[in-house]
Amino acid sequence: MMIHKFLLGMSMLLPEQASSYAADVDNLYLFLVGLTVFFTVLITAAIVYFFVKFRRRANDPIPAHIEGSVLLESIWSIIPFIISLFIFAWGAKIYLEQYTIPNDATDIYVVGKQWMWKFQHPEGQREINEVHIPIGKKVRFVMASEDVIHSFYVPAFRMKEDVVPGPNRYSTVWCEPTMTGTFHIFCAEYCGTSHSAMIGTVTVMSEKDYQVWLSGGAQQGTMAERGAALFSQYGCVTCHKSDATGQCPKLEGIYGTEVLLEGGQKAVADDSYIRESVLSPMAKIVLGYKPLMPSFQGQVSEEQLQQLVAYIKSIGPAETPAAAPKAGAAAPAAKAPPIMMSGSPEPAPVAPTTTATTPSPAASSQPVQKR
Ligand code: CUA
């Protein structure tokens, strides 16, 4: 009863539960606190009891000889063992829930740098130290750091993940907000002088408000469109030809597929793979191709990289209609921006104007396929 009241008090100290798994995290946490309180009280009571019961009553008494007790020792070994395994199983279940990214999640791209958070929406909106997301939709945060390790932490979502520098991976984390409102973002990894100022807010909006908010920006095009422009600006387009006649692998339809590498290994062409291929092209050479590509480390910013990834993704299998005409004829459909929000009105597919040097991104009237 006392523990119950204590836990109730504890839970009022916690931030709001604003994501689908927040309650699960809290329940485990409160269970651990309750368990700790229970054993602390039990052990303290035993200590006090034994103090009194076995206090010294005479000068120099000779104590009775006590052999060990197998039964007692078994009990105090096996019970904690079972409790530990129970905590492990419970924790593992929540861990898997939090770190298995659902397939139907919308991507938001995050860059951490000293000392701010930058966000990009696939639709093109960019934000600094604040991010808007819709309620009831799964959101995947794809995160990179421009300098040192940061940690993206939203206490109300019970969501925290390190954002690491280096060419080889994005870190990802997801949430499904269950409550509208504005919630804190913190950096939870000491990252220099203004670490404590590396804060921001997540605003969770109703689906309707979010659509209104989305339509308010993005004059500069979607992420995929900007990525397409960069793809041509950096000359990627001269080697990665859409009709596979280039010296480098064709990238249309590659996103999310398994790629065979020199040396017999395989890799999945996900966001991290694409990023690594741009920054350290020698790390994974595609089977049958020469290591010709220069590194773009230091030339492309993290935000640009994310736009390139969004572009490759937009020409990946998810957006290429199954009945798309063969390359060469009408090319791999329109380089239409992927529409991440299902239920949103379909915009007309826009072909990037900057890729006009190649015939491939010819705009066609292919409908944008919903993810
Ligand atoms: Cu970024 Cu602390």
Side-chain angles (χ1 to χ4, degrees):
M1 199 57 208
M2 251 178 68
I3 290 180
H4 182 250
K5 274 195 179 151
F6 176 79
L7 290 180
L8 214 67
M10 278 287 303
S11 64
M12 281 157 69
L13 295 176
L14 297 173
E16 289 156 297
Q17 297 176 336
S19 79
S20 57
Y21 51 63
D24 298 341
V25 175
D26 286 2
N27 290 342
L28 174 60
Y29 183 71
L30 292 175
F31 172 78
L32 291 176
V33 172
L35 193 71
T36 310
V37 170
F38 174 76
F39 277 106
T40 305
V41 170
L42 190 76
I43 291 165
T44 310
I47 290 171
V48 172
Y49 173 73
F50 291 140
F51 270 175
V52 176
K53 183 167 165 60
F54 297 108
R55 70 186 183 277
R56 189 156 96 167
R57 293 164 206 255
N59 286 336
D60 310 320
I62 300 179
H65 182 71
I66 299 171
E67 287 289 332
S69 164
V70 175
L71 179 70
L72 210 55
E73 285 177 26
S74 303
I75 288 173
W76 77 49
S77 303
I78 291 172
I79 290 179
F81 177 66
I82 291 172
I83 294 175
S84 310
L85 278 187
F86 177 69
I87 294 169
F88 168 74
W90 191 353
K93 181 180 165 285
I94 296 173
Y95 179 86
L96 284 176
E97 183 185 349
Q98 271 198 315
Y99 289 90
T100 309
I101 313 281
N103 290 330
D104 54 344
T106 301
D107 286 347
I108 303 270
Y109 290 85
V110 184
V111 175
K113 59 174 285 190
Q114 290 169 322
W115 287 277
M116 63 176 79
W117 295 106
K118 294 176 168 183
F119 300 92
Q120 291 191 89
H121 294 251
E123 293 83 355
Q125 277 80 357
R126 298 157 89 176
E127 305 184 74
I128 290 179
N129 291 343
E130 59 173 349
V131 60
H132 292 73
I133 52 176
I135 190 172
K137 287 269 164 67
K138 295 172 184 131
V139 176
R140 177 175 78 140
F141 294 94
V142 182
M143 310 185 289
S145 167
E146 232 166 82
D147 35 49
V148 298
I149 302 180
H150 305 278
S151 185
F152 186 61
Y153 181 33
V154 182
F157 294 164
R158 310 293 186 273
M159 179 180 83
K160 182 163 79 172
E161 181 66 23
D162 278 5
V163 182
V164 292
N168 50 358
R169 78 181 173 103
Y170 282 116
S171 40
T172 51
V173 69
W174 76 281
C175 71
E176 181 183 330
T178 52
M179 190 189 280
T180 55
T182 300
F183 307 101
H184 286 290
I185 298 170
F186 294 107
C187 177
E189 184 78 53
Y190 181 70
C191 55
T193 318
S194 299
H195 155 72
S196 61
M198 193 167 163
I199 53 177
T201 54
V202 183
T203 302
V204 179
M205 312 172 92
S206 72
E207 177 66 33
K208 198 168 137 253
D209 289 350
Y210 182 66
Q211 290 307 332
V212 171
W213 180 85
L214 266 187
S215 60
Q219 291 90 351
Q220 300 156 292
T222 65
M223 281 184 76
E225 285 165 1
R226 282 182 223 166
L230 293 168
F231 195 74
S232 138
Q233 182 189 324
Y234 284 102
C236 319
V237 72
T238 54
C239 292
H240 292 283
K241 291 192 174 153
S242 58
D243 56 4
T245 58
Q247 289 176 298
C248 304
K250 174 186 157 189
L251 300 181
E252 273 76 1
I254 205 173
Y255 185 83
T257 61
E258 202 169 63
V259 180
L260 292 173
L261 304 175
E262 287 287 352
Q265 273 158 321
K266 290 172 183 170
V268 174
D270 57 8
D271 303 54
S272 293
Y273 170 85
I274 295 167
R275 178 166 180 270
E276 183 185 50
S277 300
V278 177
L279 296 180
S280 41
M282 298 306 139
K284 294 189 174 73
I285 302 294
V286 176
L287 189 67
Y289 287 89
K290 293 203 186 76
L292 295 170
M293 179 168 160
S295 167
F296 286 82
Q297 182 104 46
Q299 299 184 50
V300 192
S301 74
E302 285 298 339
E303 282 175 291
Q304 290 181 323
L305 263 169
Q306 292 176 337
Q307 292 163 5
L308 281 166
V309 169
Y311 167 66
I312 308 290
K313 196 173 171 179
S314 77
I315 57 172
E319 280 77 22
T320 308
K326 280 275 182 287
K335 299 290 195 301
I339 299 310
M340 298 309 190
M341 307 305 308
S342 56
S344 63
E346 281 186 13
V350 182
T353 50
T354 36
T355 46
T357 44
T358 54
S360 56
S364 83
S365 55
Q366 289 288 345
V368 178
Q369 232 184 33
K370 294 277 172 60
R371 294 169 51 74

